[in-house]
Structure formats: C-alpha cells, structure tokens
Amino acid sequence: MATAIVTKAKSSAPGQYLGYGLQDVRLCRHLMRAAAGSKVSLEYVEDTAIHRPDGTLWLEQSKSALSGNPIADSSVDLWKSFANWASLCVDGKIDPATTAFRLYVCPLKDGPLATQLHEASSDAEVEALLAMIATKVTPSTKLKGCNPKISDFLAAGDATCSQIIRNFRLISADDPVEPIRDLLRFAVLEEALDDFCAHAIGMAKNRIAALLRIGEQPVLDAEGFRRDVRDFIRRHGALGLLVPTTGSPIPAEVDAVLATTPMFVQQLLKVQMPIEDVVRAVSDYLRSDADRTLWAAEGRIVAESLDELHDTLEAHFRITRGEIEDLLTDKDEETRGRTVYRRCVSHQAPLDGRNVPGYFIPGTFNMLADDVRVGWHPHFADYFPGT
C-alpha cells in the first residue's frame, strides 16, 4: 500500500511562493531534481512534465488549495485531471504504462477517494475502485457537477483507467518552495536562501517565456538549467546578493516606455546620450523598479534602507558633478553631462549591506533622475521642473 506523499515546512508562505505561481515553482523543482538527460516542460503535455531519456513520462497537475478542496470526492478539479490523462491516452499522445500521473496539492487537503486512488496497487483494489467510481454517475446525474468528467475518464475503458490508477500518486506540501531550499541550502547563506530560490524559479519561468516568444516548444534541459544555477551560485553564493526578480524586458516593453518619454529619458536626451544607452537605461529602470517592489513586498528590504541608498547615490552624484565641472571645463555641456551620467551608473553600492544586481544602481539613478533629484545636464534644474 502506497503512503501519501506529504511534506511539511517549518515555516510556510502559502499562496506567495516567493512571488511566483505554483506551476513555476514546480517547474523549477523538477528541473533541479530530474534525472540526467531529462527535459522538463511547462503547459505543454501537462501543467508540468518530466520527459525522461528512456521515453517514460512524469505528468503533473498542480492545484492550489488555498480556497476550496481540489481533491474532494466530488471535486471537478480532481476528475478533470483524470479525464485529461485518459484523453491523452486515448489520443495516443502518451502510453499509460510508461507514464507517472501525479496530482500536486498545496496545502494539504482531505480527499478520501483521492487517497484510495493513490494507495490502490493490486488488480483487485483497482477493479473495486473502478466499479465504485462507475456507480457515482447515474442517468439523472450524468450532467451534474463532476460527473461529466468522471464519464470522460471511464469512457477510456477499463484497461486505460486501471493503468492510470496504478501509476497515480497524490503529492501534498505546506510550502512548495521548501524542496528547492533544501537543494540550495548547502551552497548559499541562509539569510539569502529565499533570494536564490526566487532567482532559480524566475530563471526557469523566464526561459520558458523566451521560448514561447520565438515560437519554440516550452521545454528546458534539466542538466543545462542546473549548470547555470550552479554557475550563478559560484559567482554570488557567498556574497549575500539580492537576486534579480525578473529578466530583461522585451523590446515592446522598452518601446512602450520610450514612447511616453518619461523624465529620466528626457534627461538623457538633453545630454544627447546615444540611443543604445537610452534603451539600456530604460531596461535598467524597469528591472530595478520590479526588484524594488517585490523585495519590499516580501520583506527582504525595508523602506529605510532604500532611503539611505537614495541619499548615498545623491551624494555620489553631487561629488561626481563637482569633479567633472572642475576637470572638464573645456568640454561642452552635453559632454560633461554624459560623463557625469556614465560615472554615476558605473558606481556600485550595497543595499542594506547586501550586494545588488549590476543593473540595480543604474536603474535607481534613473529613478532619481525621473524625480529630478539628480540630473545630467549641468543646468538640469533650469530645464526640468520638480527640483
């Protein structure tokens, strides 16, 4: 008899998952744990799937149980999962004999029938379950509640349904991020653990998104992903880095900002910055703004730390501007302004004693320029309101 797979974390944050969805977290977990040579997909064959080199499959439906119970005996979600798996088998897209069927639920809920399906292993147990499931649907109730999905499942035939049940397991967890923490805990500082988990989850999600944008299948190589995570840890694991929460924005996002010519873009144009530098500035601004928002929302940084950083950067700006005005008196105003900007965005400073991604300080300088707390033209205060 199989025992339901349940994991409990000492501390959990249901529903937040470090800012990512449940499927994104499970995608990352599978990439971190899948056997050598495996590939992992997102919303391709199933919510998530592990494609093993020997041709076998792990198909997983993931259900958030923060409200309602997706594994209740009469849950539409429960029977939709079984109906979908049966459909894949009937259509010849998968072989039920070589496929593992998994239902992942977070947090743990009570589901007597789902537990029985999980535990069934002998032919007699499976046959009895199928007979019992068939009695749930009567002519008068076949169109009600979950019964249409039960009918779809049973329509696949006893042989297919029996194989699905034999290969079915129910998995529950209080905190889906904990398995990723366990894998990273040995390599990074404990206080930065969630940051590195968020980076790994975000990296998996962003790579799938990048594949979809170019029309490729949403499938990632597990070994390649783990190699890149290890490389990132080697570079930053001992540094207490606040890790990125998002990848580079797509060109359309940058173009949308440029079209509105916000104040920080106007400031750059005033000193005739090359367009490639302006595009980079917009990217840095968007990424640092996203980081700042999520780090604060999750309590990784506090408002006072941001205020201190802004004061420090303003002080650096004033010193840099004074130095350039003293040293480059023979240069025109635009040249002096571009030099001040480049000196500022090449500067790095910690946030709350922790290192930040390379784009964060440049993005923050542009945020300050957007509020006209700093400016690049020697007479920026005369050209732009708000000082």
Side-chain angles (χ1 to χ4, degrees), residues 317-380:
F317 159 73
R318 288 192 295 270
I319 292 170
T320 301
R321 183 176 66 167
E323 180 183 14
I324 296 304
E325 289 300 306
D326 288 343
L327 297 178
L328 301 183
T329 54
D330 58 325
K331 301 296 182 179
D332 60 48
E333 293 177 334
E334 289 75 19
T335 299
R336 301 203 304 272
R338 291 194 298 273
T339 304
V340 171
Y341 176 74
R342 288 167 177 152
R343 291 276 188 91
C344 284
V345 298
S346 64
H347 176 69
Q348 285 297 312
L351 174 56
D352 199 20
R354 302 168 71 181
N355 293 288
V356 293
Y359 58 79
F360 187 80
I361 296 301
T364 302
F365 266 118
N366 278 294
M367 186 203 74
L368 295 173
D370 204 51
D371 293 335
V372 202
R373 293 173 62 176
V374 303
W376 316 123
H377 194 280
H379 304 296
F380 75 93

Side-chain angles (χ1 to χ4, degrees), residues 91 121 328 375:
D91 293 343
S121 57
L328 301 183

Side-chain angles (χ1 to χ4, degrees), residues 211-276:
L211 290 172
L212 291 174
R213 283 197 296 269
I214 61 175
E216 297 288 339
Q217 296 175 345
V219 182
L220 297 176
D221 177 69
E223 287 183 286
F225 179 83
R226 289 195 291 266
R227 182 182 61 246
D228 291 343
V229 170
R230 286 194 297 267
D231 288 344
F232 187 85
I233 290 173
R234 276 195 292 269
R235 286 184 282 124
H236 305 294
L239 302 180
L241 176 73
L242 281 162
V243 299
T245 63
T246 184
S248 298
I250 62 175
E253 293 172 323
V254 174
D255 290 344
V257 173
L258 289 173
T260 66
T261 55
M263 184 64 69
F264 77 94
V265 170
Q266 294 180 46
Q267 292 233 44
L268 293 169
L269 296 176
K270 185 64 180 177
V271 295
Q272 301 175 11
M273 288 297 297
I275 187 60
E276 59 268 24

Side-chain angles (χ1 to χ4, degrees), residues 14 79 92 125-126 142 214 282 289 292 313 333 340 345 350 355:
W79 292 109
E125 289 173 327
V126 172
K142 65 180 182 179
I214 61 175
V282 171
D289 184 57
R292 188 180 300 109
L313 296 185
E333 293 177 334
V340 171
V345 298
N355 293 288

Side-chain angles (χ1 to χ4, degrees), residues 113 128-139 141 147 150 154:
L113 183 51
L129 271 174
L130 279 176
M132 184 270 289
I133 292 168
T135 65
K136 293 175 68 67
V137 183
T138 65
T141 64
N147 289 340
I150 295 178
L154 295 174

